[in-house]
Each structure stands twice: as structure tokens, then as C-alpha cells.
Amino acid sequence: MHSIVRSWQRIFALLIVVLACIGCSKVPSISSNPWQVVNVPTEAKLLDIAFTDNPQHGYLVGSNATLLETNDGGDTWKPLNLELDDPRSRFDSVSFAGKEGWIAGEPSLLLHTTDEGRNWSRIALSEKLPGNPIVIKALAENTAEMATDVGAIYQTTDGGKNWKAQVEAAVGVVRNLERSADGKYVAVSAKGSFYSTWEPGQSAWVPHNRLSSKRLENMGFADNGQLWLLARGGQVQFSDTTKPDEWLKAEYPELSTSWGLLDLAYRTPDEIWIGGGSGNLLRSTDGGKTWEKDRDVEGVAANFYKVVFLKPDQGFIIGDRGVLLKYQPNVETASQPEAA
């Protein structure tokens, strides 16, 4: 009996060792950490960030009608209060073209400013609008494009007085939706079981089956139009630039631990950053061929679910519970940042 118990103890101990090794990340560390945690005066869920034509002046938006303003490039933020019928309104998206800005959110909410946010006015939306606005893109003076959580797309050229439908039918409930610089869209279905694409001139969304059995987490575009996707199990995949309808081989930058990859952004055509769950942050400097890990931010108690580069030297990472990281290209530190 004792020998049987000892045998099981050895097996159990071996399993612990094996599991521990599986959990060890073999991804090399980056040489220095360019991200600094910024103290933000809120614990609301932050959802988007945008700057005016002044790179020092920007806005953060989020749940519970959260609107924060910075006048020093994102080092400090102050809350702003807007008089809304429902203080629980969710601000999903913010965008500026010069001094003109827009905020889109739920339920069925659209705000507009022409003076860099000193004054905001609410734009009335039709009760027949399919879904809630979740993406807004300022394009030029009085011109913006709005997309809803069921894939309806509208454009205005008169400051929001009138809107013209860009697609004849909605695509269905989506978990996320991204717009390219030249006006193309990609939408991941609510359950991550398929994705759809649309580009200007098409009358309807084009559905696509997912590439594997793994559910899709997020999709988006590189500046050159190349599609990228993140899927369950830490999968990263890019479309073939020479054959746009085909995809390159799926990659797993950190197979053992990166099951929760949430967003991807390009800092330059070759440098890519991926944010994930539990402070997971990965970087590639060769267009996704090889990857390294920023271990200095692992101590930040947040899921990094949105990575944004407004310019190569101006970037932010948004995490849950009011966590914000700012890209500091000239700051090199090996110290571990502390969450706000």
C-alpha cells in the first residue's frame, strides 16, 4: 500500500513539474520597456482615445459616460461631465479631424464638437437606426462615418444633419468592427464563428468562414490594407499581401501562455505590438516573423484590450479598471511599472 501511495506521489509531483514547464514562456524579453503607466482619475472601463490636431490635446472615453481630457500629451487627465439623460451611457468611440470631433456610444448616442471639445452637442439619431453606434470616424470638415454594432454604416457631409446609408443591409451582431484608412471594414461575429468584410462600392457585406476551429477574438488592418486576426489559443495570422483572398500560415508567438490575445497595432510597417490578458504584451520588429515579450509590464493588473498608435512616437494601451499605458520612445527603463 505504501509503495502504491509513493508511486502516486511521484506521478503527481512529475505532473506538477510538467505543467510548470508548459507554463514557462520561451519568448525572449525586449531589451527595454518603452511603456509607462499613467494615473487616470477613473476606474471606469476605458474604450477609446483620440487627439485633436494639437498632439498635446486629447480625449479618453469609456463606460458610465466617462470623458477625460489631456492637455499635455496624455501625461495627466481630468474628468469632464456632460449633461446627458442617462449618466450610464457608454462612450465606445471618439475621433477628431482637426478641431472637429465626434463621440459615438450606447444607447443610440452621438455627440459632436467643432471647437476641440470645449462644447459638445448631441446629434439626434433616427429611432429606426439599426443597432447602436460603436465606431465613429471623423473624415473632414462636417464629414464623418458611423458604424453600428450590427454593421450598419452611414456617412454625413453636413455635420450630422443627414446621414446616407453606405450598405444596404446590416451584417448581424458583431463582437468588434474595424475600419481601414481607406474606408474598408472587417467585422467579427458576436460568437467569433465567422467574419465579414465590406469596402466602398459594395452593396452588402461579404461573409467569410473562420480559418480554423479556433474562435476569432479580433481583426483589423495594417496601413497597407493587409488583414490581421487574433484567435483563441494565442493564434496570430496575416493575409497574404500578394493574394488578398488568401492567408499566411498561422503563428503562435507564445503558445503556452498567450491564450488571451486581445488587440494588435502597428507602430511602423514592421513593428507590431499585441496586447493580451493579465498584462501580456508582445512585440515583433520584423512584421510578425519573430516575437519578444515586454516582461516589465506583467505586474500591471489589467487586461490590455486596446492598443493604439496615433503616430510612430505617440501610442497608448488601454486596459480594464482605468489602466492606461503611454508609449515613451525615449525612455528606457528596466523597472516594473505600477498600476494606477
Side-chain angles (χ1 to χ4, degrees):
M1 176 63 73
H2 290 299
S3 61
I4 295 176
V5 171
R6 285 195 297 272
S7 297
W8 276 109
Q9 288 175 334
R10 285 195 294 270
I11 293 173
F12 184 68
L14 181 60
L15 284 173
I16 291 176
V17 172
V18 170
L19 290 173
C21 290
I22 292 176
C24 295
S25 172
K26 296 181 180 179
V27 181
S29 299
I30 65 173
S31 59
S32 62
N33 168 41
W35 297 95
Q36 299 296 307
V37 174
V38 175
N39 289 319
V40 179
T42 183
E43 290 189 357
K45 184 172 185 179
L46 302 174
L47 297 169
D48 200 13
I49 188 170
F51 279 70
T52 68
D53 56 357
N54 175 0
Q56 299 298 308
H57 189 202
Y59 292 89
L60 266 170
V61 297
S63 63
N64 298 323
T66 296
L67 178 61
L68 302 165
E69 181 182 25
T70 181
N71 284 289
D72 57 12
D75 291 331
T76 60
W77 297 84
K78 65 178 182 180
L80 302 177
N81 294 318
L82 300 180
E83 295 183 4
L84 299 174
D85 295 335
D86 188 352
R88 296 169 298 177
S89 296
R90 174 184 168 111
F91 295 164
D92 290 288
S93 179
V94 58
S95 180
F96 274 85
K99 293 178 172 57
E100 187 171 11
W102 304 79
I103 293 175
E106 309 165 55
S108 195
L109 177 73
L110 186 64
L111 304 175
H112 182 220
T113 180
T114 57
D115 56 10
E116 288 195 55
R118 285 188 290 273
N119 297 282
W120 294 88
S121 59
R122 184 160 184 172
I123 303 294
L125 296 174
S126 171
E127 294 181 356
K128 297 181 180 179
L129 178 71
N132 292 300
I134 59 169
V135 172
I136 188 73
K137 177 64 177 179
L139 299 175
E141 185 177 356
N142 291 323
T143 304
E145 197 164 85
M146 171 181 67
T148 74
D149 55 5
V150 295
I153 303 171
Y154 295 86
Q155 191 171 115
T156 182
T157 56
D158 58 10
K161 296 182 180 67
N162 297 283
W163 296 85
K164 182 179 179 180
Q166 303 299 295
V167 61
E168 293 180 0
V171 72
V173 181
V174 301
R175 66 185 304 156
N176 47 55
L177 184 150
E178 296 289 336
R179 183 186 189 278
S180 70
D182 59 356
K184 298 176 183 177
Y185 283 84
V186 61
V188 177
S189 66
K191 294 183 178 180
S193 54
F194 69 95
Y195 70 97
S196 301
T197 56
W198 178 85
E199 59 183 69
Q202 292 181 332
S203 60
W205 287 85
V206 179
H208 305 266
N209 293 324
R210 66 188 184 202
L211 306 179
S212 69
S213 60
K214 299 181 182 299
R215 291 189 179 274
L216 299 172
E217 286 285 357
N218 201 355
M219 295 184 68
F221 297 92
D223 287 342
N224 64 359
Q226 184 181 30
L227 277 169
W228 57 262
L229 70 78
L230 303 177
R232 296 284 177 88
Q235 178 180 323
V236 183
Q237 201 162 0
F238 300 91
S239 64
D240 191 329
T241 55
T242 63
K243 302 174 182 177
D245 294 331
E246 299 183 15
W247 289 81
L248 302 176
K249 180 182 177 182
E251 302 291 341
Y252 297 85
E254 194 181 17
L255 179 61
S256 62
T257 59
S258 59
W259 54 269
L261 301 182
L262 303 176
D263 195 25
L264 180 152
Y266 286 76
R267 191 181 77 84
T268 69
D270 294 318
E271 185 174 323
I272 305 169
W273 288 84
I274 295 180
S278 301
N280 199 7
L281 189 58
L282 301 170
R283 180 181 70 175
S284 173
T285 56
D286 54 14
K289 297 181 179 66
T290 61
W291 295 88
E292 52 192 356
K293 188 178 179 71
D294 189 339
R295 289 184 166 82
D296 289 335
V297 300
E298 286 182 314
V300 179
N303 298 321
F304 298 150
Y305 53 78
K306 191 173 185 67
V307 185
V308 178
F309 281 99
L310 306 168
K311 294 183 296 185
D313 61 349
Q314 186 182 31
F316 297 89
I317 294 175
I318 297 175
D320 44 18
R321 295 186 298 277
V323 167
L324 181 69
L325 274 62
K326 180 185 177 183
Y327 185 73
Q328 303 274 36
N330 298 320
V331 175
E332 295 189 3
T333 177
S335 63
Q336 180 175 303
E338 296 180 358

